[in-house]
């Protein structure tokens, strides 16, 4: 495995040898960001990237270039993240119902109808236009960071990675009813955060 | 004095409000429907509620937008602005990955 200098310019077909240094340079940042979005702790994300590349070194011979190198590595990383969550689910109680237990009760009147001036406002710029703005994404990042860890994990698995509810419950060892409550509160909090920090600020991020 | 048409309108709105879930419950049901299909009756009741409630409509659309945005993810340029591995982390990784003699 002691390869001579990196052959970054070589076409993928000739890169059949393990080349962890090049993997770090070419895919390291992307893998790290992917992990960080999901596990939120820098040192954990770094460890997961390392474990991923160690697996890649061991198994690269089986990877016959069927997919791009990037998606092969991301695939390994996804499994590692899933293992990480499974372990957390065994070790800690993953249900976090303390979070926003009042469910924005200040927004509803005594009969549980929206208080009109506090209900969801009319978002401008609209959907697609908002998604073109870097501030929109920065606000989402900032809002995600404010969610408590366990809620964020559940929410990320469901909304970003589209993992089916039952699978999340099995991985984290929680009941479906608790999952729904956590997701509901996360969505409510994130919607609110995005409204206050992006849309009501006329599209200017004031996080 | 309320005009007759408005009087009827008010009556209909009141009727729907009374016979469909309250907004607070609707928000819970909207979220729930994003994870598993609602029973038919409930789905129907929520639909009817939208007819009289712009806030619940907005809530639904905004959660859908949020979900869509999170699934698509930011464009690559924006994503790169988040940075990546620190130089130290990069070095640590490379050392850890060196083949053992």
């Amino acid at each position: 495995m002691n390869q001579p200098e990196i052959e970054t310019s070589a076409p993928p077909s000739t890169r059949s040898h393990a080349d962890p240094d090049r993997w770090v340079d070419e895919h390291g940042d992307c893998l790290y960001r992917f992990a960080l979005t999901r596990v939120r702790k820098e040192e954990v994300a770094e460890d997961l990237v390392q474990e991923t590349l160690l697996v890649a070194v061991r198994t690269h011979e089986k990877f016959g270039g069927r997919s791009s190198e990037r998606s092969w590595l991301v695939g390994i990383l996804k499994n590692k993240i899933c293992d990480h969550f499974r372990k957390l689910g065994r070790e800690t109680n993953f249900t976090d119902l303390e979070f926003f237990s009042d469910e924005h009760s200040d927004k509803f009147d005594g009969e549980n109808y929206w208080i009109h001036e506090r209900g969801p406002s009319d978002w401008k710029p609209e959907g697609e236009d908002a998604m073109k703005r870097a501030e929109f994404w920065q606000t989402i990042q900032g809002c995600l960071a404010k969610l408590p860890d366990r809620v964020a994990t559940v929410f990320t698995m469901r909304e970003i990675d589209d993992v089916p509810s039952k699978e999340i419950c099995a991985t984290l060892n929680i009941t479906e009813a608790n999952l729904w409550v956590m997701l509901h509160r996360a969505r409510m909090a994130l919607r609110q955060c995005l409204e206050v920090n992006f849309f009501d600020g006329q599209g200017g991020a004031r996080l | 004095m309320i005009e007759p048409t408005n009087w009827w309108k008010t009556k209909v709105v009141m009727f729907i409000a009374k016979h469909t879930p309250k907004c607070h419950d609707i928000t819970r049901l909207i979220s729930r429907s994003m994870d598993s299909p609602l029973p038919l009756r409930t789905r129907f009741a929520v639909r009817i509620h939208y007819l009289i409630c712009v806030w619940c409509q907005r809530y639904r659309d905004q959660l859908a937008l949020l979900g869509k945005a999170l699934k698509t993810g930011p464009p690559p340029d924006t994503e790169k602005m988040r940075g990546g591995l620190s130089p130290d982390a990069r070095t640590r990784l490379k050392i850890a990955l060196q083949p053992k003699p």
Side-chain angles (χ1 to χ4, degrees):
Chain A
M1 255 189 270
N2 268 323
Q3 290 302 323
E5 273 310 300
I6 312 165
E7 311 164 338
T8 28
S9 56
S13 55
T14 63
R15 295 171 177 176
S16 57
H17 50 271
D19 196 348
D21 272 17
R22 182 176 56 76
W23 291 339
V24 173
D25 289 331
E26 286 183 14
H27 308 298
D29 287 342
C30 173
L31 293 172
Y32 175 74
R33 282 193 297 262
F34 188 95
L36 192 61
T37 301
R38 285 151 184 88
V39 300
R40 315 210 305 167
K41 292 196 178 65
E42 289 178 3
E43 62 279 10
V44 179
E46 198 187 312
D47 282 351
L48 287 168
V49 172
Q50 180 174 325
E51 284 176 35
T52 298
L53 294 177
L54 283 169
V55 171
V57 168
R58 281 204 307 276
T59 62
H60 76 278
E61 275 162 6
K62 284 187 226 147
F63 163 69
R66 282 182 300 276
S67 53
S68 78
E69 205 170 62
R70 171 75 54 92
S71 48
W72 168 59
L73 292 169
V74 170
I76 303 175
L77 178 59
K78 278 184 184 167
N79 285 330
K80 287 284 160 199
I81 292 172
C82 196
D83 288 347
H84 170 74
F85 287 151
R86 200 168 287 133
K87 197 162 146 253
L88 284 180
R90 277 198 306 268
E91 287 169 358
T92 52
N93 178 6
F94 228 88
T95 305
D96 191 343
L97 300 182
E98 292 303 301
F99 165 64
F100 276 11
S101 48
D102 69 341
E103 287 193 15
H104 289 277
S105 49
D106 61 320
K107 291 188 170 296
F108 298 97
D109 64 17
E111 289 188 274
N112 281 331
Y113 296 112
W114 291 106
I115 296 171
H116 295 179
E117 57 275 20
R118 293 189 202 161
S121 63
D122 191 12
W123 283 5
K124 295 270 181 286
E126 278 177 52
E128 298 292 326
D129 291 329
M131 281 167 68
K132 287 184 194 137
R133 314 264 298 257
E135 297 93 343
F136 174 80
W137 298 101
Q138 282 156 6
T139 312
I140 287 194
Q141 284 298 336
C143 294
L144 278 172
K146 285 186 203 159
L147 292 178
D149 272 336
R150 290 170 290 181
V151 174
T153 301
V154 167
F155 183 72
T156 308
M157 285 177 97
R158 183 72 197 101
E159 289 282 37
I160 299 186
D161 291 329
D162 207 12
V163 182
S165 312
K166 285 204 163 50
E167 210 176 308
I168 300 178
C169 292
T171 306
L172 301 176
N173 202 13
I174 57 176
T175 66
E176 217 162 29
N178 281 345
L179 172 77
W180 285 330
V181 177
M182 287 161 87
L183 285 173
H184 166 50
R185 293 181 188 171
R187 288 181 177 124
M188 190 171 247
L190 223 63
R191 192 210 68 81
Q192 170 71 10
C193 180
L194 203 56
E195 178 165 293
V196 171
N197 294 296
F198 181 77
F199 290 101
D200 284 358
Q202 298 298 318
R206 36 184 189 86
L207 203 66
Chain B
M1 180 73 191
I2 309 168
E3 280 178 51
T5 44
N6 278 342
W7 184 86
W8 275 108
K9 223 168 143 185
T10 313
K11 279 283 173 200
V12 170
V13 170
M14 298 285 277
F15 182 83
I16 293 178
K18 202 173 160 212
H19 293 277
T20 59
K22 305 289 167 68
C23 302
H24 195 259
D25 294 320
I26 298 276
T27 59
R28 196 171 44 78
L29 291 168
I30 291 172
S31 174
R32 173 85 176 269
S33 74
M34 296 169 83
D35 306 309
S36 74
L38 297 174
L40 205 61
R41 278 180 70 102
T42 316
R43 218 182 313 164
F44 183 71
V46 173
R47 284 269 179 87
I48 300 291
H49 183 95
Y50 288 144
L51 296 177
I52 60 154
C53 185
V54 67
W55 296 276
C56 285
Q57 278 177 39
R58 283 181 192 158
Y59 191 87
R60 169 198 61 188
D61 296 343
Q62 292 168 358
L63 250 53
L65 171 70
L66 189 60
K68 185 179 168 207
L70 289 166
K71 272 177 198 77
T72 345
D77 293 350
T78 313
E79 178 65 0
K80 278 189 189 131
M81 279 159 58
R82 290 176 60 206
L85 289 161
S86 65
D88 282 357
R90 200 176 286 271
T91 315
R92 276 199 295 277
L93 268 176
K94 287 186 179 176
I95 292 170
L97 290 165
Q98 265 169 17
K100 307 277 180 296

